[in-house]
Amino acid sequence: QVQLVESGGGLVQPGGSLRLSCAASGSIFSFNVMGWYRQAPGKQRELVAAITSGGLTNYADSVKGRFTISRDNAKNTVYLQMNSLKPEDTALYYCNVITNFGFEYWGQGTQVTVSS
């Protein structure tokens, strides 16, 4: 079993920055892919960014150039640095991991609100 603990969400003004963190624990599994999804009210959950154990990254077009995903494999932690935030980035952000055995786990979500 894997537990994911997210932190770093909050309220920020447009143009501001936030850094999300997600620490995975409770298992000796290695995590092939770690990433972030988000879901805004009335919308489907969407991929924001993902990173493989080798450092390959994938971003949603809407966040390219503004968000940066990174990970610390020794700490089983994934980060999402979000800059130049826009009101449309407002959503519940979920951490997601896929183990080397193909098991997938989700965090509880952390709220990001971009508003003046």
Side-chain angles (χ1 to χ4, degrees):
Q1 190 66 22
V2 172
Q3 292 82 44
L4 301 177
V5 178
E6 300 148 327
S7 61
L11 173 64
V12 64
Q13 292 186 342
S17 299
L18 284 174
R19 188 192 193 209
L20 305 183
S21 299
C22 173
S25 63
S27 170
I28 60 172
F29 293 152
S30 296
F31 301 107
N32 186 18
V33 182
M34 304 182 80
W36 292 93
Y37 286 71
R38 67 186 181 187
Q39 187 168 19
K43 295 187 177 181
Q44 289 189 330
R45 191 174 297 188
E46 62 175 358
L47 173 68
V48 177
I51 184 168
T52 69
S53 57
L56 295 177
T57 58
N58 183 37
Y59 293 94
D61 287 342
S62 59
V63 306
K64 285 180 180 177
R66 301 189 296 122
F67 291 10
T68 302
I69 190 170
S70 61
R71 63 188 283 175
D72 184 332
N73 290 329
K75 296 181 179 179
N76 285 332
T77 299
V78 61
Y79 307 95
L80 185 68
Q81 178 66 44
M82 304 185 294
N83 298 329
S84 302
L85 283 161
K86 304 175 180 180
E88 50 263 44
D89 294 318
T90 295
L92 193 58
Y93 284 69
Y94 295 92
C95 178
N96 173 271
V97 300
I98 302 174
T99 74
N100 284 357
F101 293 99
F103 296 109
E104 185 174 28
Y105 298 90
W106 292 91
Q108 293 294 315
T110 184
Q111 180 67 39
V112 172
T113 302
V114 185
S115 175
S116 55

